[in-house]
Amino acid sequence: MTTLDEPGTAIRTITAEIDGHAVTVPEGTTIYDAAKAVGVDIPVLCHNERYDPVGVCRMCVVDTGGRVFAAACVRPCEDGMTVKTDTPELNRSRSTLTELLVADQPPRAEDPKQNKTGDNLLLELADRFDVARETTELPCGTGRGADSSNPVIDVNHDACILCDRCVRACDDIQGNDVIGRSGKGYSTRIAFDLNDPMGNSSCVTCGECVQACPTGALTNKPINLIPIRPREELDAVDSVCPYCGVGCALTYYVDRERNAISFAEGRPQPGSQSRLCVKGRYGWDYAASPQRLTVPLIRKDSSYPKGPLSADVRGDMDGGAGNDRGRGGAGGGRSEKKGKRRKPGGLVDYDEVMPHFREATWEEALELVARRLTEIHAAGGPGAIAGFGSAKCSNEEAYLFQKLIRAGFGTNNVDHCTRLCHASSVAALFEGIGSGAVSTTYADVANADVAIITGSNATANHPVASSFFKQARRRGTKIIYVDPRASTVAEHADYYCQVKPGTDVAFYNGIMHEVIRLGLIDREFIANRTSNYEELARTVADYPPERAAQITGVDADTIREVARIWGEAKAGVIFWGMGISQHTTGTDNARCLIALCSITGNVGKPGAGLHPLRGQNNVQGASDAGLIPMFYPDYQGVDAEKTRLLFEQAWGRPLDPKRGLTVTEIIKSALAPGGVRGMYMLGENPFLSDPNINKVRKALSALDFLVVQDIFLTETAEFADVILPASSYLEKDGSYTNTDRRVQLGRKVMDPPGQARVDWEIIQDIANRVGLDWAYAAPSEVFDEMVALMPSYKNLRHGNLGLTGKLYPNEDPDLLDGTIVMFDERFNTDDGLAHLVPAQWLPAKELPDGEYPLVLNTGRLLEHWHTGSMTRRSYALDTISPVAEVYMHPKDAADRGLLHGQMARVRSRRGKIELQVRVSHREQLGNCFIPFHFREAAANLLTIDEIDPYGKIPEFKFCAIQVEPLGGRA
Ligand code: SF4
Ligand code: SF4
């Protein structure tokens, strides 16, 4: 039989009979899949629908009337085939196979996962076929060994049945290629790299292999000594990972008796498709840290005048230029130089800081917050108040926070960490296509002929998205990687262009020059869908490959080849990260990417488009919800009168007609006369996350009043007048919007500790104390109000987000997952066209010189998150990555007499830090990389606070430094 799926596409179908059920399926469908379609369950062991079938275990054998039984997972159905799946002979075969496998298993008592069915597919089959290890007469094989070298994964080779599920999970799903096989005959076992201990191998501890393993061979270790109980004894809570913008769907398995998470597992969702990285799977125990804030705190009268309280924050350890040691009078702690003991883990020293605060009731703390902010507002006007929200908070919390600052204090001085990650991308996208959101999803890379990944260490920063990039390449998508650092992504690329830092505009102008010269532009798209092409073409005419090569360091032939590959592709997509956005030319960089996609017609169709990989789990949602100084929710400009009147009517208060200050401008304003005097800090830690933190230190010290709402005592909280104990992600309900525009529900897993409260309730209590009249009963009510003011979120409700969330825009969330590809007919600009904005290459603001000859690049590590307040309190993440390091090219290290592992001092014009040297072949000569998570070696003591003029994003990726052995120049 032949049917038509799409016009002109003939699909041959075949009809078979399975256990008496007639089934018609497309040609090539396996017996297993066809049986499943008619509700027939065939037992499997090596097969799992997420992995390509291999048919090695023979558990799924069926009777097709042939000479031998057929493995249903690999054998295709044939027209007229009659299949039996449940006969005494088949079950005898399965039973014997199970007995042979179980005979070789270690005793059940060794491992709780071995004791129960549900976690162990082999033992589940043993129970099904009534096979007991204890009764079998076959000898138990042992001796292939165990491996406990990974902090959170146990390997018991004796329990391995060599089904290769872990190999396929590691290679085909996560694309990490760590697991294979070694040995011969009975000694064959799975091997990590070259048969290394797992903990010493290149394994990234994503745990995909544990999720895949059908026996007790790969199991999670207990985290924080809390034993892992069998799944059926645990409470399953479906939620979303709290770390990065990929927004992986997961299930937390909660031990209610111990009030603790037992383990986490990826679950199906159209984006992440059950995958997780090490942070999502193992990084959740921070919430149970004994260092959680549990009671409201008020600074003691004796601890004024206000100043930083711990040695590191005072600057006693950094010695940087611009230190403000005179302000630290209230601290009283001894410096390291005087023998002060530094607490392990690089966390705030509670013993040193806590004595400067006293416990308070919620009533007293909230009353003080409301009174002081109101007084400052009355004395200094709306401009004296500012709020930093957080992209870790839910959409509802972000919405309420910006509403409080705007409606309660009449100012638009409200911003969050989007300013530090993709503000320039958003500025360019708004200008170019009228929308700051991605034009397609990360999984749409599967439909691309070519993908450019640029300025993104995706394998570390967006690990699950990167697994889709790797998988796409295996299926034929060409990957072009453009980045100054040769991160792991380079190993998965067809072309790696190692540009010099800060030369992206020259590189992409060179590519566009060549695309135009070769006639590979899409003339129809340019004519009908874009404006300003002629000016763009004139600008890039000045960037022939030879000139681009001279500026970027990438040879001209490679530029030509990459341009040809991109220009000839039927569908091309660009993914970019903060290597593009965190520059003083960040907006120009993004303008070039928009132009490159537009002139080749690569927007608005499957496998094509623009995707700034968003950093925090809810940076997209917080921005959508209006947590930015120039926009109300849904990017409706605060300076448009009609819009302002609409929001004034909705919120019942007069609103500020002017744009507010951004994060960096608020910090500057706090240091200026007549500037910001009172701040509400919700979950942000600018002391470590903002550039040039000596300046941040002064700004925080200079404030008249600072309230910090957080889950831990952060470096920023040391400057607070009042500290409000908040809820972690795991302790509340709310919605979060990932990098794909997928709005998902995060669900409460456990109660907040002590007197800590959920954030939206705290914000509401403060709002009511400053004269607003709010009475939200639940986050869903807040969401409904938000959506009524946000056309993009139209039709979404908590009730229709379901388990997998929904993409916006979405015409019918009850039926549809939402829009993957945007802008297929018009862009969101006033005239519906993409506005091409040419850019000239400009050098970075602070170039290397004789005194500071190296370039510093800062960023994240796979295991850590931003200022480390969560990940450094996670057992797994802190154990895998415990120390701050400066990554250096071998020659740069050797030229300075530095050895791998040696302590060094890194200096810039703004400060200096001390940390270990990591000699790394991933760095370019003359360039260094320092992750910014480590308080004890805070990279942002070194960075420069120059900003991009459009997005106002700081230059985190380029400043001049020197590195020298400790004991060298002081
Ligand atoms: S470790 Fe587990 S998943 Fe990997 S081959 Fe052995 S039994 Fe299969
Ligand atoms: S890729 Fe991002 S969202 Fe997914 S598990 Fe890792 S940190 Fe969480």
Side-chain angles (χ1 to χ4, degrees), residues 563-873:
R564 187 185 61 74
I565 298 282
W566 176 265
E568 288 177 352
K570 289 196 184 71
V573 58
I574 302 181
F575 299 95
W576 73 93
M578 282 158 244
I580 287 291
S581 60
Q582 288 179 335
H583 283 289
T584 46
T585 57
T587 305
D588 282 345
N589 293 346
R591 284 170 172 158
C592 290
L593 303 181
I594 295 164
L596 179 59
C597 273
S598 301
I599 65 171
T600 49
N602 277 312
V603 193
K605 61 186 181 185
L610 295 154
H611 192 126
L613 288 156
R614 311 308 299 260
Q616 296 264 20
N617 63 330
N618 200 37
V619 70
Q620 182 68 52
S623 303
D624 293 347
L627 204 56
I628 32 184
M630 54 289 280
F631 295 121
Y632 295 124
D634 216 11
Y635 308 96
Q636 302 175 74
V638 295
D639 40 12
E641 189 180 0
K642 199 169 146 207
T643 309
R644 179 167 50 79
L645 293 175
L646 187 146
F647 278 89
E648 284 184 350
Q649 192 181 20
W651 294 344
R653 300 285 286 218
L655 299 174
D656 185 357
K658 301 184 308 297
R659 292 178 169 213
L661 300 176
T662 61
V663 161
T664 39
E665 289 168 337
I666 288 168
I667 293 294
K668 203 167 155 194
S669 169
L671 289 166
V676 169
R677 308 302 324 139
M679 274 194 78
Y680 184 178
M681 193 81 68
L682 170 63
E684 288 272 285
N685 190 12
F687 187 85
L688 285 188
S689 63
D690 285 22
N692 189 5
I693 56 183
N694 277 313
K695 190 166 166 183
V696 178
R697 181 203 330 264
K698 288 182 192 169
L700 295 176
S701 299
L703 288 170
D704 291 341
F705 184 76
L706 172 65
V707 50
V708 171
Q709 182 172 320
D710 216 313
I711 62 173
F712 294 113
L713 193 57
T714 61
E715 291 74 9
T716 301
E718 295 190 42
F719 298 83
D721 297 270
V722 177
I723 301 172
L724 303 176
S727 48
S728 78
Y729 176 89
L730 297 162
E731 292 148 9
K732 58 193 175 190
D733 294 322
S735 67
Y736 300 83
T737 307
N738 80 353
T739 189
D740 278 348
R741 297 175 265 107
R742 181 172 297 280
V743 186
Q744 306 181 84
L745 286 179
R747 295 180 177 81
K748 180 177 169 180
V749 176
M750 53 186 55
D751 292 328
Q755 296 177 33
R757 297 179 61 199
V758 292
D759 294 78
W760 71 266
E761 288 182 359
I762 303 172
I763 300 166
Q764 172 157 280
D765 277 0
I766 292 174
N768 285 330
R769 282 173 168 79
V770 300
L772 299 173
D773 185 18
W774 293 1
Y776 302 102
S780 58
E781 284 185 16
V782 182
F783 190 77
D784 291 344
E785 178 181 309
M786 250 177 73
V787 170
L789 293 163
M790 296 175 64
S792 299
Y793 278 52
K794 196 175 85 183
N795 304 322
L796 299 180
R797 296 186 319 275
H798 275 204
N800 61 21
L801 294 178
L803 283 179
T804 56
K806 301 287 175 182
L807 295 175
Y808 77 79
N810 196 319
E811 282 310 309
D812 187 354
D814 291 321
L815 295 175
L816 305 171
D817 188 48
T819 306
I820 294 177
V821 175
M822 307 239 325
F823 316 123
D824 51 346
E825 289 178 359
R826 71 187 308 279
F827 292 99
N828 274 7
T829 49
D830 290 346
D831 56 9
L833 301 176
H835 301 161
L836 306 181
V837 183
Q840 295 286 357
W841 173 71
L842 297 169
K845 296 287 183 188
E846 186 184 64
L847 297 173
D849 58 16
E851 191 176 2
Y852 298 99
L854 300 170
V855 173
L856 172 65
N857 184 358
T858 65
R860 298 204 302 256
L861 298 174
L862 168 64
E863 295 83 7
H864 282 295
W865 191 259
H866 285 212
T867 64
S869 58
M870 292 158 66
T871 53
R872 300 198 75 188
R873 290 177 172 94

